[in-house]
Amino acid sequence: MKTWITQLRKGLLEFCVLNALASTETYGYELVQRLRTIEELVITESTVYPILHRLRKDGYVKSRTVASSSGPPRRYFSLTTLGKRHVGQMKDYWKDLCRSIEILMTHEGKEV
Amino acid sequence: MPAEAQEAIRRYLNAVKRAMTATPANEQRDILNELEAHIREALASRLHSAEATTADVEAILVDMDPPESYAGAVDESTPPDRESASRPEANRRTVGLTALILVLVGLLLTIFVFACHNALTKWGVDAEALAWGSLAVCAIGCLVGWFSFRTSHGKIAAIVGSGLVFFYLAMLLHSDSPSESMEPAPSEPPSRSISP
């Protein structure tokens, strides 16, 4: 069970980061705090920052530095056009997958 | 911030850097910058503009992931089968595109042979061989198209190629060679008026 959860979490990390950025532009610390609220995923800074770097490298995420009144300058992250398209495709696939699994589970439940 | 607190942050970041030895330098730099900003943001939200002490910094560092977790985290952030999974897809797309190009070349050649049949004959070019050649190119493109039918290019190649091949076959039923049917029908000899 533990291995399955680890693999599932690993596969969903990128999807969660992109979704968190899809709604609003955000900076690293805020993003980590927001993702931390999904307890089942156990997302921490050691997973978020490497993913953010890769997503920027892949052209899905862009960043800009903004001065902050409460501390050091903040680097705000948001989705690029390519990133928006990518997350849209991921969402469609996710919905189809959930629907199919739901049907499968309902069907299996009836047979058992 | 006291020097001791800054030293604690530096120690933590150095430990993270050591854990990321397998990570490219630019990626290391990027992650370390983000982590430093993360620590400062955490301090700012905890202290609300009060002066940070070493104890505050250490409390934040304890809450954060241990430096060694960054060794695996970078690999974990990269889907392992991402590249290998996209490779067959890329190959299929290339095959589909090749099929479409072949069919288009066949189609253009066919149009050319049709349009310039008389001129080709006049120039001594073997129009029949060209016609057979275009049929062969179309047939190959069509086959490759059916083979890569899952791609959009493959689908177009298969359908257009099949249409062309059937067109050629239909012409073959009426004549010995495809080029023969391309020749314009000989003009009727002028009918003689029968005068009484």
Side-chain angles (χ1 to χ4, degrees):
Chain A
M1 183 70 180
K2 204 180 165 189
T3 316
W4 180 71
I5 291 173
T6 308
Q7 291 300 317
L8 194 63
R9 270 184 47 215
K10 200 170 153 181
L12 289 172
L13 286 173
E14 181 180 320
F15 185 46
C16 291
V17 172
L18 285 169
N19 268 298
L21 291 174
S23 52
T24 177
E25 188 184 45
T26 183
Y27 56 98
Y29 178 73
E30 192 183 47
L31 180 66
V32 173
Q33 297 308 310
R34 184 125 57 96
L35 291 169
R36 265 190 171 161
T37 58
I38 313 169
E39 281 178 27
E40 293 79 7
L41 285 170
V42 202
I43 300 178
T44 55
E45 63 279 354
S46 71
T47 44
V48 172
Y49 293 128
I51 288 178
L52 268 180
H53 175 85
R54 187 170 50 75
L55 291 174
R56 271 180 66 211
K57 208 171 73 180
D58 291 349
Y60 296 137
V61 167
K62 60 184 176 188
S63 68
R64 67 188 182 103
T65 307
V66 177
S68 161
S69 55
S70 62
R74 285 170 177 164
R75 190 145 72 138
Y76 278 85
F77 296 93
S78 60
L79 296 187
T80 60
T81 311
L82 185 69
K84 284 175 190 164
R85 204 180 312 143
H86 184 58
V87 78
Q89 287 169 346
M90 286 174 111
K91 276 181 188 174
D92 289 343
Y93 184 78
W94 175 253
K95 281 176 197 161
D96 289 345
L97 185 70
C98 286
R99 207 170 19 243
S100 303
I101 292 173
E102 193 62 41
I103 291 168
L104 188 70
M105 286 196 306
T106 314
H107 187 69
E108 289 291 303
K110 276 178 190 166
E111 283 197 354
V112 171
Chain B
M1 191 189 297
E4 206 181 320
Q6 284 185 8
E7 179 58 26
I9 296 173
R10 204 181 55 79
R11 262 202 314 274
Y12 178 80
L13 294 176
N14 278 341
V16 171
K17 192 178 178 181
R18 276 198 301 277
M20 293 194 293
T21 44
T23 310
N26 69 325
E27 191 167 347
Q28 276 186 24
R29 217 171 20 249
D30 204 27
I31 292 169
L32 290 172
N33 285 343
E34 284 303 327
L35 271 179
E36 192 173 353
H38 182 101
I39 295 166
R40 293 189 190 281
E41 285 289 348
L43 276 171
S45 72
R46 186 187 169 105
L47 302 168
H48 302 291
S49 76
E51 183 71 15
T53 62
T54 311
D56 293 325
V57 170
E58 275 170 358
I60 282 164
L61 294 179
V62 162
D63 272 351
M64 290 176 72
D65 289 331
E68 53 273 18
S69 65
Y70 286 84
V74 177
D75 298 333
E76 209 171 284
S77 75
T78 311
D81 56 344
R82 190 182 177 152
E83 225 170 87
S84 56
S86 62
R87 212 173 295 136
E89 182 59 33
N91 289 346
R92 261 200 301 274
R93 274 203 298 270
T94 312
V95 173
L97 190 64
T98 310
L100 187 61
I101 290 169
L102 282 172
V103 168
L104 286 177
V105 168
L107 178 67
L108 288 175
L109 209 55
T110 307
I111 293 168
F112 177 71
V113 174
F114 255 96
C116 310
H117 186 268
N118 286 341
L120 286 170
T121 317
K122 206 185 288 174
W123 296 334
V125 177
D126 193 348
E128 192 179 323
L130 261 181
W132 280 112
S134 58
L135 172 61
V137 172
C138 275
I140 294 167
C142 174
L143 278 176
V144 180
W146 283 111
F147 180 71
S148 57
F149 198 77
R150 280 173 65 184
T151 66
S152 54
H153 290 143
K155 216 169 279 174
I156 298 168
I159 294 165
V160 176
S162 299
L164 272 171
V165 170
F166 278 120
F167 170 71
Y168 265 104
L169 289 175
M171 284 201 312
L172 275 171
L173 288 176
H174 296 289
S175 58
D176 288 340
S177 73
S179 72
E180 248 176 58
S181 58
M182 294 169 195
E183 290 170 17
S187 53
E188 290 286 317
S191 55
R192 287 179 193 163
S193 56
I194 302 161
S195 54

